[in-house]
Amino acid sequence: MKKQQYLAVSLLALGLLMGAGNAMAQKDSLKLKQEVEVVKAYQPSILDAQKINDIPQIKPEQTEAPTFDYSIFSKPVFSTFDPTPVAAAKMVGDPKEPMGLGLLKLGFGNYLTPYGELFFNAQPTKKSNFGMHFSHLSSSGKVKLLNEDLVKAPESENTAEIFGKKFFRKSTLSGSLAFDRKAFTYYGYAGDRLSDALKEEMIPHYQDKQYFSKGSATVHLKSETLSTAELNYDFGAKYHYFISKTGQTEHEVVLSGDVSKNIDNALGLLSASLTVYKADSIMNRFYSEFGKKQQTILRANPSVMWSTENASLQLGLNTAMILDIDTDADFKIWPKVKAEWSPVPQVLTLFAGVDGHLQHNTYSSIAAENPYADPYHDVANTNYKYIVSGGFKGKLTSKTNYVAEASWSAIEKQHFYITQGSQIYNQSSTYRRLNNTFDWVYDDVNILRLSAEVMHSVSDNFSVHLLGNYYSYDLKTQQKAWQMPNFDITISGIYKPMEQLKFTTDIFVIGSRSALIRDFSNLSLFSSAIISDNEIQLDPIIDLNVGAEYQFSPKLNFFAKLNNFGFQKYEQWLGYTNKGLNWMAGISYSF
């Protein structure tokens, strides 16, 4: 078996390197670019609507299959990025605006929250581009839990990144080095208010500190030819090292290659990757003991696409070979079908698709999804057996874009987070321990999702974006989709009454959720455990946020933000109450 694994890995790596050796390139955009890996708020987005653009030019659109994202609604203490306004149409050939060297943003808010961010980009040349990005955001305030207990909840996020590009005649070579660190404490707990002594006895991780540090390096070689008659490619290599305060480490290497070329009247596409993954100091799910996890995943996704002026059809397969040192090799295959038809171009487009894939649940991805998960977690991969979707999109008017979509997903081995407790009986006393880190249960689930999205430009100075999702869960063994909402709504707006002044608003509405506390009780040392489940209803969330920005001069701006000005107290995860009203004010200076 090991010889077969080494042979498969070697063949794919050789193929990627040979493909990379045939490539050289150039890039048309030299603008400063920031690439940030973030924890997605629980707002599963449907296909991005085409930006309002009245230029009479038809561009091919790709319909992305929906995916299931467990992460519930969550966001930083302060949102330091503004929503993206509706882009104004520009005539082709407009001269580019001159670039500055960088941007510095500084701010401060309540909860003892300093914020700083620096972007620097060397003046680009015809052959290269280079930039850097650094940021810091932290908070040292206290949070009042739903049981009125006031607890310390410090947290911080730090990011450093350098990136560059080298432009060749037909391709671009790009690379980056990045480091990010997130630090926090396990400040929350479910249930009644407790004395400090009882907290120490009953809540294993109460006020324990945690951090997640991740360093990464990426290299990409991408063709920049527009002709489909030539071979188009994007070859990449990525490595990251991850470490936590509790001692877990992770190494991941990903080699990837995407190629496409016209074959007669069709476009042939191939996406392939090799992932080598290793984690240490985790609780191995196969042996229930501390140890390592090591996996190798080979993916190959071939497809063929036919296109006309107002229709397209893509047929293919997604495949994955999973090699795990703790179990037998596993090969999976999924269908891949995408179809679009525009009976009225730019006004109405119908789309449908069938898809499926393997979700690789690494230690770092679970830590990003739920930072309060048990720090020794080893979560199994999730199999999206099939995702059937369809809908329509287009323009209602020249200023209004829309998308409506329905999807049905069949998911195997989906994890759901629960809280675990233990009731211990002995001769001298009875006591209960209730975790404030999350365990998980698995289930097979079918998910119906109905989505709608509208982007409307009221005027050149006022735009509104609405996004709504409804979810219905059909589970095999679990009673509920624990801590998952039945709907979510996002409303964003930008208003610019004058050239120097801009207002923004974001409203997040999340439906009610059900959480589970599972207790294990022992009547004696020789008796088997008795399991009792207690369902907790989490209230809906309505989070109101506004911001303002004033341009004092072409280089100096002032900004202010109010988050959660509706003063709602809610739990993002059971026991973890959000911060109340928080504000930030600051300046930004471009140079």
Side-chain angles (χ1 to χ4, degrees):
M1 175 61 68
K2 287 189 174 181
K3 290 183 178 179
Q4 294 175 352
Q5 295 179 16
Y6 293 149
L7 179 59
V9 170
S10 301
L11 288 175
L12 183 55
L14 180 62
L16 292 173
L17 291 174
M18 291 178 64
N22 296 331
M24 303 190 73
Q26 118 135 282
K27 181 73 176 167
D28 56 350
S29 172
L30 306 179
K31 291 187 178 180
L32 173 66
K33 180 180 180 183
Q34 176 193 6
E35 295 180 353
V36 183
E37 183 176 351
V38 301
V39 181
K40 260 192 177 176
Y42 188 77
Q43 43 187 19
S45 180
I46 59 180
L47 175 72
D48 290 339
Q50 178 186 356
K51 295 294 187 291
I52 296 173
N53 191 336
D54 291 326
I55 298 177
Q57 183 178 4
I58 299 176
K59 296 183 179 180
E61 298 178 351
Q62 297 288 329
T63 302
E64 296 296 332
T67 58
F68 178 74
D69 186 356
Y70 193 98
S71 300
I72 65 166
F73 165 75
S74 59
K75 57 187 178 63
V77 181
F78 294 95
S79 174
T80 55
F81 299 96
D82 294 324
T84 304
V86 177
K90 292 184 178 180
M91 295 302 295
V92 176
D94 279 357
K96 293 183 178 180
E97 297 179 1
M99 283 184 57
L101 290 177
L103 175 69
L104 175 65
K105 298 183 74 174
L106 298 173
F108 190 82
N110 62 338
Y111 291 100
L112 299 176
T113 302
Y115 159 66
E117 192 157 19
L118 173 65
F119 300 88
F120 174 78
N121 197 72
Q123 284 294 341
T125 68
K126 292 183 178 180
K127 294 185 177 181
S128 64
N129 190 12
F130 173 79
M132 296 183 291
H133 169 238
F134 306 94
S135 68
H136 169 82
L137 178 66
S138 61
S139 171
S140 302
K142 293 184 176 181
V143 170
K144 183 177 288 188
L145 304 181
L146 293 187
N147 60 17
E148 301 300 321
D149 192 2
L150 193 63
V151 297
K152 296 179 180 179
E155 58 181 316
S156 65
E157 296 182 16
N158 294 280
T159 301
E161 180 185 19
I162 59 175
F163 47 89
K165 292 183 178 181
K166 178 69 174 178
F167 309 119
F168 300 98
R169 187 171 63 89
K170 291 185 177 182
S171 61
T172 298
L173 178 66
S174 60
S176 67
L177 295 173
F179 173 80
D180 59 82
R181 184 179 188 272
K182 177 181 176 65
F184 59 95
T185 62
Y186 298 102
Y187 68 88
Y189 67 93
D192 298 332
R193 187 173 182 178
L194 302 172
S195 65
D196 291 338
L198 286 175
K199 291 173 188 173
E200 295 294 331
E201 180 180 352
M202 297 175 59
I203 307 173
H205 288 278
Y206 180 69
Q207 294 286 226
D208 287 354
K209 296 180 180 179
Q210 179 65 286
Y211 66 73
F212 300 136
S213 295
K214 183 177 181 180
S216 62
T218 62
V219 177
H220 268 273
L221 182 64
K222 183 179 181 181
S223 63
E224 299 297 341
T225 59
L226 298 178
S227 173
T228 56
E230 298 187 35
L231 179 68
N232 289 276
Y233 53 84
D234 184 358
F235 298 108
K238 180 178 181 179
Y239 167 77
H240 82 242
Y241 174 73
F242 179 95
I243 187 171
S244 68
K245 186 178 186 300
T246 44
Q248 289 71 42
T249 60
E250 176 182 272
H251 299 266
E252 184 177 53
V253 177
V254 180
L255 302 178
S256 62
D258 298 309
V259 295
S260 64
K261 190 179 187 303
N262 259 354
I263 305 173
D264 294 331
N265 295 324
L267 179 65
L269 302 102
L270 174 63
S271 176
S273 68
L274 165 66
T275 300
V276 179
Y277 173 80
K278 182 179 180 181
D280 204 351
S281 300
I282 60 173
M283 181 63 72
N284 188 289
R285 69 179 185 277
F286 291 100
Y287 307 110
S288 297
E289 60 184 28
F290 289 102
K292 299 180 180 180
K293 176 179 180 178
Q294 186 171 330
Q295 291 181 331
T296 300
I297 301 177
L298 298 97
R299 304 177 192 261
N301 307 328
S303 63
V304 179
M305 177 183 290
W306 296 267
S307 300
T308 65
E309 186 176 352
N310 58 0
S312 66
L313 174 64
Q314 183 177 358
L315 300 176
L317 297 172
N318 294 334
T319 65
M321 172 70 78
I322 304 98
L323 307 174
D324 193 313
I325 61 172
D326 294 319
T327 186
D328 295 334
D330 188 16
F331 178 75
K332 296 186 180 299
I333 185 168
W334 304 268
K336 184 182 185 68
V337 179
K338 293 183 179 181
E340 285 193 2
W341 176 50
S342 300
V344 186
Q346 295 194 8
V347 176
L348 176 63
T349 298
L350 308 177
F351 59 88
V354 180
D355 209 341
H357 68 276
L358 179 78
Q359 177 177 296
H360 188 201
N361 291 322
T362 65
Y363 186 92
S364 58
S365 67
I366 296 298
E369 181 177 86
N370 182 355
Y372 307 113
D374 184 325
Y376 302 97
H377 58 75
D378 178 15
V379 178
N381 295 331
T382 304
N383 178 20
Y384 290 74
K385 297 168 61 177
Y386 59 84
I387 307 168
V388 181
S389 60
F392 51 93
K393 60 184 177 179
K395 288 186 177 183
L396 292 175
T397 68
S398 61
K399 295 185 177 181
T400 306
N401 286 19
Y402 68 90
V403 183
E405 183 180 31
S407 68
W408 177 263
S409 305
I411 305 172
E412 188 176 62
K413 219 168 184 61
Q414 174 63 50
H415 55 276
F416 295 94
Y417 294 106
I418 66 170
T419 300
Q420 186 169 296
S422 57
Q423 191 100 14
I424 307 299
Y425 299 88
N426 54 40
Q427 296 178 351
S428 59
S429 64
T430 299
Y431 63 95
R432 182 190 190 218
R433 291 172 65 86
L434 185 63
N435 291 341
N436 66 341
T437 58
F438 293 92
D439 293 271
W440 55 93
V441 292
Y442 297 107
D443 201 1
D444 296 343
V445 56
N446 297 326
I447 302 175
L448 170 66
R449 188 183 71 174
L450 304 177
S451 305
E453 186 172 8
V454 177
M455 181 179 289
H456 178 62
S457 179
V458 180
S459 66
D460 292 340
N461 299 322
F462 184 26
S463 62
V464 179
H465 181 211
L466 307 176
L467 171 64
N469 297 283
Y470 167 79
Y471 310 92
S472 177
Y473 309 96
D474 178 19
L475 298 121
K476 187 174 181 180
T477 60
Q478 297 298 314
Q479 294 181 350
K480 300 285 181 66
W482 305 118
Q483 304 215 47
M484 296 299 302
N486 54 356
F487 73 89
D488 61 72
I489 299 172
T490 302
I491 305 173
S492 300
I494 298 177
Y495 177 54
K496 199 171 182 180
M498 60 181 68
E499 187 64 29
Q500 293 81 16
L501 184 62
K502 180 176 69 174
F503 296 98
T504 61
T505 182
D506 290 288
I507 302 174
F508 303 99
V509 182
I510 309 295
S512 61
R513 294 163 285 137
S514 296
L516 178 68
I517 297 179
R518 174 163 291 173
D519 277 323
F520 294 83
S521 303
N522 283 356
L523 297 177
S524 69
L525 295 176
F526 306 100
S527 64
S528 59
I530 299 175
I531 300 176
S532 59
D533 289 344
N534 183 20
E535 182 179 335
I536 307 296
Q537 196 70 19
L538 303 180
D539 292 335
I541 296 171
I542 302 177
D543 194 301
L544 310 177
N545 308 273
V546 295
E549 183 176 333
Y550 177 70
Q551 185 176 2
F552 180 78
S553 70
K555 293 189 174 183
L556 180 63
N557 285 17
F558 296 93
F559 67 87
K561 298 176 182 291
L562 284 177
N563 287 341
N564 194 22
F565 74 89
F567 298 91
Q568 187 193 10
K569 291 174 60 177
Y570 57 84
E571 293 176 308
Q572 297 186 22
W573 298 97
L574 179 64
Y576 286 88
T577 309
N578 69 304
K579 288 181 169 64
L581 171 71
N582 48 80
W583 55 265
M584 175 178 284
I587 62 172
S588 63
Y589 179 75
S590 59
F591 54 90

